[in-house]
Structures are given as C-alpha cells and as structure tokens.
Amino acid sequence: MGTPKPEELIQKIDLTPQWPGWMDTPTEIKPGNFCWGAKAKDLDGIGFPNPREWNPGEEDWKLPENWKEIVIEGLRERLEKYRTLKVFMDICVRCGACADKCHFFLGSGDPKNMPVLRAELLRSIYRREFTTAGKILGKFAGARELTMDVFKEMWYYFFQCTECRRCSVFCPFGIDTAEITIIGRELLNLLGCNIAWITGPVNNCYHKGNHLGLEPHAIMSSLEYMIDDIEEYTGVKVEPTFNRKGAEILFITPSGDLFADPGTFTCMGYLLMFHELGLDYTWSTYASEGGNFGFFTTNEMAKRLNYKMYAEAKRLGVKWIIGGECGHMWRVLNQYMDTWNGPADFLEVPVSPITGTRFDNAKQLKMIHAVEFTADLIKNNKLKLDPSRNDHLTVTYHDSCNTARGMGFMDEPRYVINSVCNNFFDMPENTIREQTFCCGSGSGLNASENMDLRMKGGLPRANAVKYVNEKHGVNLLANICAIDRAALTSSMDYWVPGVAVAGVHELVANAMVFKGQGKRTVDLRGEDIPGMEEEEEAEEAAESIAVQEPQEEAAGAAGEEGSE
Amino acid sequence: MELDSLLSEKREEITREWFNLIIQAYPPDTAKFLKNQTNRFANPVGHAISEAMEAVLGHLVEDRDPADVYRSMDGLVRIKAIQDFTASQSIRFIFSLKEVIRKKAQGQHLSGELLELETRIDELALGCFDIYMACREKIYDLKAKELKSMHFRLLKQANLVSEAGDPGSGPVGGNGS
Ligand code: SF4
Ligand code: SF4
C-alpha cells in the first residue's frame, strides 16, 4: 500500500492544535529531557560564538546583551539564503496531518512535540518580524515577540527533534520540519547554545579527525584488538592496512564502530569480509570518521568536517570510497558532499573489483554504502554463506531514518539480511521504510542525561519491535546505523528486553564460510552459537540422540552455556 | 456475585469512562488524539492504556491469569515512568477504576463486595508501584551501561582494566550491551 496520499491524510485527521493557545502554555525545562550545554572549551576550539560555562537548567544562560538582534539578523540572513525556509515559513495551512506523526509527540504526549508546533516556534517569530499581518495583529496572526522564555522554548524543543523527517512524508505540501529544526539550531548556535554532546565530538573531529578524538595509534591498536578477537573466534588472521597510498579503495566508517559495542562487532564483520575477498583497500587514521556531528551545528561546520574524506582519497590516490554502516553520515554524503567539497573528478565511478558491477548511482559521489557493495556480492554469488549459522536468531530490520527517507535505501539491507539469515520478519507497514520510526536518539541526541526523552522518542519504534517479538519471537534488531546500534541497545533494554541489536555486517560475517577457517563454534561476540558448540561430540552421539531440542530459546540459552 | 454481574454487564461503559479518566492526565489535544487514533502502531500510548484496562478488568471479572495483568500494567506504567509524571501520577490510573465502579454500584447495596474488590484493586496498585520503581532504576542503569560500553574497550586498551574483570559483551539475543 505504501505511503498514504495527501488527500487521504487530510480527510482522516482532525488534529488542529489549540490555536493560538499553545503560546500561553509556559515551557518548563525538565531534567531527563535536555542535554548539558555546550562547553566553553569546545566552542572555543571550533571558533563558535559565546564560549562560556553555562547550565541550561539555570536561569542565566549568559548571553550577550544584543542576543535578540543576533537571532533576528541570523533569521533574516537565512531567509534570504535558503528559499525553502521562506517557503516553509509561509505555506503551512495548519491542517494537522503532521501533528501525530512525530515519535516525540507519540511518546511524550506533549503537544509542543507536534511537528506543526515545533515549526511554529520559529514561524511565530518570523511572522512578528517579517510579515505585516504579524506586526499588526500579533498573536491573532500567530505572531509573537522573541523573549528570553521564547528563546529557551526554542532551545528545548529544537533539541527534542531528531531531524528524522517522518512528519514531512505526511505533509501535503512537503514541509520538512527537520529543515526548520536545522535552521533553528543554527540560530541557537549563534549564541553558543548548542549541546555538549554535539559540540564535544565536533571539536574532537575538527582537531583529530573523529568524534572520539582518537589519535592514529589508538585507532590502529583498537583494530589490532579486533584482529586478535577475530583470529580467536574464527581462526582467520585478517591484515588490514592503514594510510596505504595506491590502494584501490578507501574505507571510511563511523568511529563508533571502532570502540562501542555492538558497533565493534559490525566492524569485525567488515574486516573479515574484505579480507576474504582479498580487497585492495585501506583504512585511514586521518579521515577516521564517517559520521558528521557538524551537521547538527551549522552548514559550514558540516562542510568543514566533511572535507577530509575527498582530501584523504586524493592524498592516498585511491580510485573510490566505500562507507560503513551509518545513518546521518549517508544523508550528509548523499545530499551535500558533492556540492560542498566536490566534484571529486580525481576519483573513478565505483566498480566492484569482485563482480565488475559499475555503481552508476554513485557516478557523482564516487562513494558507495557497504551494504550496497555486499548486496551486489551476494547477488553475484561471491560470498560463501551458511545462513543456518544464524538460525538461533529471528531478525527484524530497523530502517534508519536517514538511509530510508534521506536516500531511499530500503531493499538492499533486507536482501542482505534475508541471504544470511533464515528467520526474518518485517515490522508492521506503518513503522518501516519511508514511514520508519526514529530510534529516538538521532541528530546528536544520544547523550545519557536526556535518557527519559530518548525513551519517549524510542517508544513507537520499540512498540513495533515488541509486536514482532511477541508474534514471531524476534530476538534481534538489525540496522545499518552506528547511532542505532548504541541507541537501540538501550531502547530495547528498557522497552523489549531480550532483543539484541546488531549491524548487518555482523550477521554477514557470522554466516560466511572462510577459506582456511578453524572450528567456528562461537560468533563474533565470542558467544557459543547454539547447535554448533559441540559439533564433533554431536556427530559422535548423533545416533543416540533422536530428537533435537527446539531452538526457540536459543538467544537466552547462549549466555547460560558458558563461553569456553 | 451481584457486583460481578454488574461489572460484566456494564463492562463497556466502565471501560469507556475509565479511559476518559485516564487520558485526563494529558493535555486536551493529546487526549483527543489518544482517544481517536485506533491504529496501535500509530498510537502506542492509547494502545497501552486499552491493553492495561482490558487486562485489569479481565483479571477482576474473569479471574484471568495474574501474569497477564502484570504484563499489561507494565506496558502502561513503563510509559508513564518516562513521561515526566511523578510516582503517584504514574499509578493513579489504577485507582481511578475504583471511582468508576463505585459510581456504577451506587445504591445497589454492594458495599461488602465492593470492599473486597477494592482490596484486589489495591493489590494491583501495589504491583504498579513496584513496576514504576523498577522502571526508574532501569533508566539509571541504562546511563551507567552506556558509559561503560563507550569506554570499556578504551580502558582495556590502556591496560586500565584487566581481563579478569571482563564482563563480556553479552550474547547475541541478550540485551547486547
Ligand atoms: S506542516 Fe504540513 S502537514 Fe503539518 S500542519 Fe503544516 S501543512 Fe499541515
Ligand atoms: S523531523 Fe522527526 S523529530 Fe522532527 S518534528 Fe518531524 S517527526 Fe518529529
């Protein structure tokens, strides 16, 4: 059935918010729902305005005296620069079709999390300052004065939007509230009012090349740890190279894959697969971040942080680039990289050295997603797979907002998962693909201090997982996004305990059969694979054991059987 | 006996009135939405409320499996626990059932049975309180776990923690943390 048509939506929904009463409900900044303010040292480190120590929970945000002028001037500038913003400010008819589509509204029950009201935060200022009706009629025309309370309200709610764009799918005019949030955050940024969880990684990335601030030796030693683990679990010794000039392909993944479980297991998956293929590729310890938290500050900062990808590809003289499993990374690459830092005319159109497939979809970008690369390998029968190695798993797939809505990337991951797992069940239609629900922690909101907010935002997704968990016994939530891997792990822990979270390449490598592999009775987490623990003994005893235990509780059982 | 049949007879009415009381905890726009959107995936909170009500009434009227009722109450309290409600606000929904039933039973001389039923409702309320506490503890636990999973490998690399203390990463199929 796909996405409902605008006409259908307008007919069905009667959700016009109280108008203009919402302006009279004061906003209280509640602990558990906001992130710590950007730190002085980080703002300073990236040359952002107003570096100071401040606490959003306190009265005084330490803003310059002319703060209001700065915001209004900033808005004027952006209205001139981005035509979409001007259009989005003018054309909303307040039909309410978007109102109940936001995971934060659904999870919090707070009407100010209705996308239409989120946009009104900015629109009300726009009307007051830039339209005649707003200047004269004020509140009756939906306009209001920018006061300190209004500014704080903007801050509170623009950092309760994950820029997921679900609302835009339902708007008959295609108004993209995510873009309004992006501009709203830029304006807040003019006064140093970003959050620590975003500006910290941005500062790190600007100086060290990745969000975690890892220096080259730390990156290499992290991968060395994985190499040891891989050898222990599979008997295969992988030998990745770093900063190797003349390699055919440069591989760039989000740095979360290097350090945070379960992303590390996905990373081990790439290492194994590339090794098995004998791929001529290299890692870079400089372009060591696929993600781009700069995207959650300003357009210019996002561009700056992105610059290193092409620059490093040029320095190393590679032909093209593969990018790891990530969400916002791909929205940034797919929609902005070429305009910002292209054209990458020193690179070639990606051609898989294994299958010969030419990725014309990446003709301009010269970079493809690891899952595209793998789907093509499988389609051409280039991976030796034994999906029964994943038989203890019943899998569902979470479409990351950015890969699904941001780049229409929905079938390849499902194709790969179905090729490496025997038990796959999609979640209900209105919660996947274009209509996918956000993990609840995207766009830099995956801090810990706002855990209540993250759980609210994560509810609609988790609710759908719970359904397939109860109906089909799903015990694994696969995804292709580094933030999902971290965020959904907590979300599942709270909402649907017993469902694990894994990247797609972890599943791929677990199902692969490698040349010269040892006896593989454990997976990439070093855990026993039910049914494979004691293959030899099982063979010996095959005759005496007539009935095999059903594998329903395989997931839980794995932990109890020890990990030797 | 008689209260039982009153509950069975008026179950629909009771459910409707109870639902209306429960959603009063939310702003009017939200309450309207919770009531009107019937797709369970488009309205997870409304769905959780209905499930909990159904299970509680099922338990009180038909003596359904208590495990069932706890599972469904968990579904609702788990939501309330992260929605900025206080502990008392989070479990109030269960007490509002008393209000509804008392009204229905008015003038029917059922006070003995009513007392007994209210005791059973109180028992459920106590259960909700435990669920609420477990949820809040879980939130703090998640914060701690995230910190650990972010830094554990780095610490290990820097030889700041040893293998002996390695809690492992949990099985696929566990909570993955
Ligand atoms: S943003 Fe679009 S869907 Fe939402 S109220 Fe405005 S016109 Fe309607
Ligand atoms: S972009 Fe996503 S998070 Fe933001 S208002 Fe729309 S639905 Fe909500």
Side-chain angles (χ1 to χ4, degrees):
Chain A
M1 297 211 300
T3 313
K5 296 195 177 52
E7 312 82 75
E8 291 168 2
L9 288 163
I10 294 184
Q11 275 166 17
K12 259 188 272 170
I13 288 152
D14 167 32
L15 258 181
T16 356
Q18 286 199 334
W19 192 266
W22 69 274
M23 288 189 201
D24 301 328
T25 321
T27 289
E28 191 193 328
I29 294 183
K30 292 181 190 146
N33 295 289
F34 69 88
C35 299
W36 309 136
K39 293 192 180 117
K41 74 166 175 50
D42 293 324
L43 292 173
D44 211 25
I46 45 182
F48 274 6
N50 201 20
R52 79 242 177 260
E53 292 310 328
W54 64 295
N55 177 350
E58 281 170 11
E59 188 60 33
D60 182 8
W61 284 18
K62 302 182 187 163
L63 304 185
E65 252 173 47
N66 61 339
W67 67 269
K68 190 172 155 182
E69 243 168 77
I70 294 175
V71 175
I72 298 199
E73 268 322 296
L75 180 56
R76 184 194 311 281
E77 234 175 76
R78 283 160 184 79
L79 284 164
E80 281 162 16
K81 194 164 159 198
Y82 304 113
R83 223 182 94 72
T84 42
L85 177 62
K86 178 89 173 55
V87 172
F88 290 169
M89 289 294 105
D90 285 326
I91 62 170
C92 170
V93 295
R94 305 199 293 257
C95 69
C98 62
D100 59 347
K101 302 306 184 292
C102 176
H103 50 288
F104 283 118
F105 169 65
L106 296 180
S108 69
D110 178 352
K112 286 191 187 168
N113 269 321
M114 292 177 170
V116 54
L117 286 193
R118 198 183 314 285
E120 283 297 318
L121 293 172
L122 200 56
R123 215 175 260 134
S124 55
I125 313 293
Y126 163 77
R127 289 200 194 97
R128 173 73 172 67
E129 300 296 330
F130 301 98
T131 70
T132 317
K135 275 180 193 151
I136 298 169
L137 298 171
K139 209 160 130 181
F140 298 101
R144 66 174 173 173
E145 173 111 28
L146 177 60
T147 62
M148 189 40 66
D149 284 343
V150 167
F151 181 77
K152 288 183 176 176
E153 186 175 58
M154 275 169 60
W155 182 84
Y156 193 52
Y157 286 103
F158 284 139
F159 286 103
Q160 292 193 38
C161 166
T162 45
E163 303 178 2
C164 79
R165 301 172 90 194
R166 188 170 194 268
C167 48
S168 75
V169 172
F170 298 87
C171 173
F173 299 99
I175 295 176
D176 186 352
T177 305
E179 286 203 13
I180 295 174
T181 296
I182 290 172
I183 297 292
R185 288 194 189 179
E186 280 207 11
L187 297 174
L188 296 162
N189 209 60
L190 293 174
L191 295 167
C193 294
N194 212 303
I195 58 172
W197 192 258
I198 291 175
T199 46
V202 170
N203 186 27
N204 281 337
C205 202
Y206 188 53
H207 293 281
K208 302 280 168 72
N210 55 70
H211 291 158
L212 294 167
L214 306 168
E215 294 180 355
H217 61 281
I219 295 172
M220 291 174 68
S221 90
S222 168
L223 283 164
E224 273 153 20
Y225 266 87
M226 291 186 206
I227 294 169
D228 290 346
D229 282 353
I230 289 172
E231 190 171 12
E232 186 186 336
Y233 303 150
T234 65
V236 177
K237 175 120 181 118
V238 301
E239 288 162 332
T241 60
F242 299 92
N243 309 321
R244 179 165 58 88
K245 289 194 175 169
E248 181 180 356
I249 298 163
L250 169 63
F251 179 65
I252 303 176
T253 200
S255 63
D257 283 357
L258 301 177
F259 282 91
D261 297 346
T264 44
F265 309 121
T266 309
C267 194
M268 287 158 76
Y270 310 132
L271 285 165
L272 266 164
M273 189 182 81
F274 294 158
H275 173 85
E276 180 71 8
L277 296 168
L279 203 67
D280 178 14
Y281 84 108
T282 184
W283 293 75
S284 166
T285 55
Y286 304 106
S288 50
E289 179 60 74
N292 190 334
F293 269 34
F295 188 53
F296 311 131
T297 60
T298 67
N299 186 47
E300 283 68 29
M301 184 44 83
K303 177 179 170 177
R304 270 195 205 172
L305 296 187
N306 172 262
Y307 181 78
K308 62 182 177 287
M309 290 199 185
Y310 281 155
E312 182 68 338
K314 194 168 190 175
R315 185 181 77 91
L316 296 175
V318 301
K319 289 187 181 154
W320 54 282
I321 313 171
I322 297 182
E325 295 184 14
C326 188
H328 78 282
M329 160 180 174
W330 279 94
R331 170 138 148 230
V332 168
L333 299 178
N334 207 53
Q335 298 185 354
Y336 304 97
M337 177 152 82
D338 180 49
T339 347
W340 283 339
N341 295 313
D345 42 18
F346 52 92
L347 294 176
E348 294 174 11
V349 179
V351 173
S352 168
I354 314 298
T355 65
T357 301
R358 198 179 130 101
F359 291 92
D360 278 318
N361 56 320
K363 207 191 248 168
Q364 194 63 22
L365 200 61
K366 316 284 178 17
M367 180 162 184
I368 63 169
H369 194 292
V371 171
E372 275 176 285
F373 180 71
T374 304
D376 172 63
L377 292 171
I378 295 174
K379 183 111 193 153
N380 287 286
N381 259 320
K382 298 293 183 190
L383 295 183
K384 195 163 174 209
L385 298 168
D386 174 6
S388 77
R389 296 180 53 81
N390 282 324
D391 270 356
H392 57 299
L393 302 174
T394 304
V395 183
T396 193
Y397 174 67
H398 163 73
D399 291 271
S400 148
C401 308
N402 287 304
T403 46
R405 279 189 286 271
M407 59 187 288
F409 193 55
M410 293 173 273
D411 291 317
E412 292 87 339
R414 288 181 169 79
Y415 173 72
V416 172
I417 295 169
N418 273 305
S419 308
V420 301
C421 301
N422 287 321
N423 314 307
F424 176 81
F425 296 94
D426 247 327
M427 285 177 272
E429 194 190 343
N430 55 346
T431 71
I432 55 169
R433 295 181 176 261
E434 297 91 339
Q435 299 189 52
T436 186
F437 277 117
C438 178
C439 63
S441 307
S443 79
L445 299 188
N446 55 327
S448 293
E449 62 269 20
N450 60 338
M451 194 58 81
D452 292 66
L453 173 75
R454 288 176 49 193
M455 291 304 121
K456 290 174 188 171
L459 170 63
R461 165 44 74 231
N463 180 50
V465 176
K466 191 172 172 199
Y467 175 76
V468 285
N469 165 264
E470 283 166 1
K471 188 159 179 213
H472 303 292
V474 162
N475 60 7
L476 188 103
L477 179 56
N479 60 78
I480 54 168
C481 168
I483 290 180
D484 282 336
R485 285 190 275 281
L488 289 172
T489 297
S490 294
S491 174
M492 289 303 109
D493 202 356
Y494 186 76
W495 293 115
V496 204
V499 174
V501 176
V504 168
H505 280 87
E506 180 184 345
L507 301 176
V508 171
N510 275 332
M512 276 180 75
V513 179
F514 306 107
K515 295 187 272 289
Q517 67 179 24
K519 208 176 94 205
R520 285 171 62 206
T521 59
V522 295
D523 61 19
L524 290 184
R525 302 188 182 197
E527 301 297 334
D528 283 334
I529 303 173
M532 306 226 170
E533 312 93 319
E534 279 138 15
E535 254 173 22
E536 285 165 30
E537 287 147 58
E539 269 164 37
E540 282 163 27
E543 275 121 52
S544 58
I545 301 169
V547 189
Q548 251 202 309
E549 290 294 321
Q551 298 285 322
E552 278 173 5
E553 290 176 336
E560 291 156 17
E561 289 167 18
S563 51
E564 281 312 297
Chain B
M1 225 1 233
E2 279 192 60
L3 182 61
D4 271 1
S5 49
L6 181 120
L7 289 181
S8 307
E9 225 171 82
K10 303 206 165 172
R11 187 155 165 178
E12 229 173 90
E13 244 174 79
I14 292 172
T15 307
R16 199 174 337 111
E17 285 170 33
W18 189 19
F19 188 87
N20 287 341
L21 280 181
I22 294 175
I23 60 175
Q24 271 177 21
Y26 296 91
D29 283 333
T30 308
K32 190 164 90 179
F33 163 74
L34 292 176
K35 199 169 174 173
N36 296 339
Q37 173 56 266
T38 51
N39 182 292
R40 62 183 284 188
F41 303 107
N43 181 6
V45 177
H47 178 70
I49 296 175
S50 302
E51 288 247 290
M53 290 193 318
E54 164 66 23
V56 168
L57 286 171
H59 174 70
L60 296 176
V61 178
E62 302 151 15
D63 251 336
R64 224 186 276 164
D65 184 3
D68 236 31
V69 71
Y70 277 95
R71 200 177 319 115
S72 301
M73 290 193 312
D74 183 291
L76 181 54
V77 175
R78 194 162 290 277
I79 291 173
K80 294 249 169 193
I82 48 98
Q83 282 186 330
D84 307 337
F85 292 115
T86 60
S88 58
Q89 288 166 338
S90 296
I91 62 170
R92 173 171 230 115
F93 76 95
I94 194 91
F95 293 104
S96 51
L97 175 61
K98 287 193 193 175
E99 241 175 85
V100 177
I101 295 178
R102 243 179 258 153
K103 238 195 276 161
K104 297 284 158 215
Q106 223 164 33
Q108 308 250 4
H109 309 291
L110 295 168
S111 56
E113 279 178 76
L114 206 53
L115 266 181
E116 207 182 294
L117 183 85
E118 294 200 351
T119 307
R120 290 177 68 199
I121 295 178
D122 290 341
E123 280 298 323
L124 294 179
L126 291 174
C128 285
F129 196 70
D130 288 343
I131 298 170
Y132 176 86
M133 286 310 293
C135 289
R136 289 312 306 171
E137 274 166 28
K138 187 83 216 172
I139 292 292
Y140 293 105
D141 176 45
L142 290 179
K143 294 184 194 188
K145 270 186 176 168
E146 284 197 351
L147 265 178
K148 198 187 85 185
S149 93
M150 253 179 2
H151 299 296
F152 191 70
R153 274 181 187 253
L154 284 172
L155 293 175
K156 213 157 107 176
Q157 247 172 262
N159 284 326
L160 292 175
V161 285
S162 66
E163 286 294 327
D166 188 349
S169 46
V172 177
N175 62 21
S177 67

